[in-house]
Amino acid sequence: MNKSKSIYRKNFSLVVVFLILISVIFVVALFISYDFNAKNIDNEFASKKIDVLEQTIKPYNDLFQNKIPEITSYQGFLDSTSAAKYADAIFHNFPFVQKIVFYDARISSQKNSTVLRDNLGVSINQMYQYAPANGQVKGIRVWNTNDEDDFKEMAVKLSDYIAFSDTSRESSQIEIFNTFYNIKSGKISYSNIPRRTDVKNYRELIKNGSPTSYYKQNIMTFFLDPYSLRVKNTHKELYQDVSIQPVVYDPLDAGNNNLVTEAALPGAFADFKLYFRSDSDYLTAETNRRFMPIAAMVLLIYCFLVLIGWLIYRNLNVNLKLFKLQYDFINNFTHEFKTPVSVIKIAGSNLSAEGGLSDKQRKQYGRILNEEADKLNDLMNKLLSFTQLENKSIDIKKEEIDVEAFVTKYIETFKIKYPDFKINFKAHGVTSFYSDPVLLGSIFQNLIENAYKYSHPSKKVLNINVLQQKRDIIFSFADRGIGIPKNELNNIFKKFYRIENQYNQNGSVGLGLAFCKELVNFMHGDISVNSKVNEGSEFIVTLPYEN
């Protein structure tokens, strides 16, 4: 027994060590995953600002790359009306455009041109200013404006392009950008791009110097308000607040609890930046939100490992219990054989002794030999029958059984064997049925024997009731014995299993109830038990009723 306890302690210690190990791994995994999430949030806070920047300046890029170049499609023939329609589309789709100045320019050889180079002059024919007002475009003709400097810069670039461009090939994108765009803080000036044939005509104009000849050219200046850009915070989980600020903006109240980063705006907004700010608690909440699924997954793995550990421990425990059962079975089985063999040997020695024996002594020794031989034979028959039942190597031989006669026979047999055993019998409306009398007799013998064996000396009473219920016949064996603990009810029908108590220290190998269970199952029935400690047990055998 001490050895078994030692083994159980070792197994339990291994399980404890295993649980501690995976618990430590679980805590470390949680810590590492949380730290990884926190660092990942910090990295994303610094890198994801590009996504916000791209989405915020997407309308500006659309204006710059797609809408402004549409001016070229008019080939210099925009007038105040068509320019107003064009401006209306700009204001409707790009709210950050505050006003547009339209220059209806002429290219000629007139000497009074705003810009004159090599007999080629670029001058303003008419100038208009457009601005949104109450959902409509308000356009006015302008005579004098401070914005003529923008026109002069564009005119100089255009003159240089006409004078020096290579008309044998298409202009590159860099040449177009440097010539026909002029980008300053808060505004973009653009001139329509002349065709190569137009450039050749301009050069002819320089050579001929005809004062009456001229060509139309359109130049526009777009005034932009960076604060009217719509900030699209596509990562609200990272950035609590995103605003447009001047490049030189540096708030004095930026404390340790705030995380800030910046992203410069391009082009005409180059003097401004996107300013990103988040409280540390705000990012901590995001870290926790991302951490929860990871923690749940780690917890699931942890529970899975605990379950595996428990299954391993349970299997080891079952194997150890099975080993103990087998060990106890061998000991008890050896004892069961040793006791009658010893008695037979003593009786045989006395019978073969030289001294004479009286008739009474010879009869007594003969009775002893018969009883012990019957014990051995009963034990061997039980083991043999058990093996045959498990291997399905026997057949059920059904015959009609008279219930009262069948039960009375066993009652009388046990009254002779145990005079102090009181057995009561009652049949409730059942007279006969068909079954195998030998198999049924084995069930009766084992259950009656157990009722006597596990009852107090003063309470050796058994009540047997037989009744029919639908298509079943039910046998009830109710005693007033020591009872069975509730936690043992699921084990008593297991092979070699014995409940440790004072009544089965000797003479039990744990086969009786297991043998009954196998018999009942073999006969297509069922056996169950109801029991209370120190009050008694009731075994209920249910078999198919056939008449």
Side-chain angles (χ1 to χ4, degrees), residues 114-392:
T114 305
V115 175
L116 182 66
R117 177 192 292 274
D118 297 332
N119 207 33
L120 180 69
V122 182
S123 60
I124 300 175
N125 181 36
Q126 293 180 355
M127 184 167 58
Y128 296 89
Q129 180 176 296
Y130 301 97
N134 298 324
Q136 295 181 347
V137 175
K138 180 180 180 181
I140 58 173
R141 185 171 180 178
V142 182
W143 300 99
N144 294 307
T145 177
N146 296 327
D147 300 325
E148 286 191 13
D149 290 340
D150 298 320
F151 174 79
K152 289 178 182 179
E153 292 181 14
M154 294 301 297
V156 169
K157 288 185 176 184
L158 181 59
S159 299
D160 291 340
Y161 179 80
I162 294 172
F164 303 110
S165 64
D166 184 359
T167 57
S168 63
R169 60 175 178 82
E170 293 288 343
S171 299
S172 65
Q173 291 298 319
I174 295 177
E175 291 173 336
I176 291 173
F177 178 78
N178 291 332
T179 303
F180 302 101
Y181 287 90
N182 188 25
I183 301 175
K184 293 182 179 181
S185 178
K187 57 185 176 181
I188 302 173
S189 296
Y190 179 82
S191 172
N192 70 277
I193 304 171
R195 294 168 295 189
R196 285 184 290 176
T197 55
D198 293 334
V199 174
K200 292 177 181 180
N201 292 333
Y202 299 158
R203 290 177 179 175
E204 287 293 328
L205 183 63
I206 295 173
K207 291 180 182 180
N208 298 330
S210 174
T212 58
S213 299
Y214 68 89
Y215 294 93
K216 292 177 66 65
Q217 185 74 14
N218 297 141
I219 298 175
M220 281 190 175
T221 300
F222 301 81
F223 291 82
L224 312 179
D225 178 17
Y227 294 109
S228 297
L229 272 175
R230 182 183 176 186
V231 177
K232 296 183 179 179
N233 187 2
T234 55
H235 293 284
K236 293 182 179 179
E237 74 281 2
L238 297 174
Y239 306 115
Q240 188 177 9
D241 177 64
V242 183
S243 60
I244 297 174
Q245 302 292 345
V247 172
V248 296
Y249 176 75
D250 188 13
L252 298 176
D253 60 344
N256 295 328
N257 291 330
N258 288 334
L259 277 76
V260 298
T261 187
E262 302 171 350
L265 294 173
F269 300 138
D271 291 340
F272 296 86
K273 64 184 178 183
L274 286 181
Y275 183 77
F276 302 83
R277 185 196 65 82
S278 293
D279 293 337
S280 58
D281 293 340
Y282 187 81
L283 294 181
T284 299
E286 175 62 16
T287 302
N288 294 337
R289 187 188 68 82
R290 296 190 186 185
F291 173 71
M292 292 307 295
I294 299 176
M297 186 181 300
V298 174
L299 179 61
L300 183 63
I301 295 173
Y302 173 78
C303 294
F304 179 72
L305 291 177
V306 170
L307 177 62
I308 291 177
W310 179 78
L311 290 175
I312 293 174
Y313 174 75
R314 188 192 67 170
N315 289 339
L316 289 174
N317 199 23
V318 169
N319 289 335
L320 286 170
K321 287 184 178 179
L322 181 59
F323 171 78
K324 184 176 182 297
L325 287 175
Q326 292 174 338
Y327 179 79
D328 292 343
F329 167 73
I330 293 173
N331 285 339
N332 294 326
F333 194 74
T334 302
H335 176 79
E336 285 292 299
F337 269 93
K338 186 176 181 180
T339 300
V341 169
S342 298
V343 173
I344 290 172
K345 185 176 181 181
I346 293 171
S349 298
N350 290 334
L351 286 173
S352 61
E354 294 181 357
L357 297 174
S358 64
D359 291 339
K360 183 178 180 180
Q361 288 176 323
R362 281 195 299 270
K363 290 181 179 179
Q364 183 180 1
Y365 286 132
R367 181 177 58 80
I368 292 173
L369 289 173
N370 286 333
E371 289 178 353
E372 298 304 324
D374 288 341
K375 287 183 181 180
L376 289 175
N377 185 57
D378 181 65
L379 187 58
M380 295 301 297
N381 286 337
K382 187 176 291 186
L383 286 173
L384 180 62
S385 299
F386 205 109
T387 303
Q388 290 175 334
L389 284 172
E390 288 182 330
N391 296 330
K392 308 295 183 183

Side-chain angles (χ1 to χ4, degrees), residues 10 22 42 52-53 95 104 112-113 149 151 159 173 176 203 225 233 246 289 336 399 413-414 456 471 499 502 523 538:
K10 289 180 181 178
I22 63 172
D42 290 340
V52 179
L53 175 64
D104 183 10
N112 60 347
S113 299
D149 290 340
F151 174 79
S159 299
Q173 291 298 319
I176 291 173
R203 290 177 179 175
D225 178 17
N233 187 2
R289 187 188 68 82
E336 285 292 299
E399 59 182 71
T413 300
F414 275 92
H456 298 291
R471 299 186 61 83
I499 301 175
Q502 60 179 337
M523 298 169 71
E538 181 185 17

Side-chain angles (χ1 to χ4, degrees), residues 89-122:
I90 293 292
F91 295 138
H92 179 75
N93 295 310
F94 307 99
F96 53 88
V97 179
Q98 296 299 296
K99 70 176 181 177
I100 299 174
V101 176
F102 168 57
Y103 305 97
D104 183 10
R106 287 186 176 184
I107 297 176
S108 65
S109 60
Q110 293 180 0
K111 303 301 181 181
N112 60 347
S113 299
T114 305
V115 175
L116 182 66
R117 177 192 292 274
D118 297 332
N119 207 33
L120 180 69
V122 182

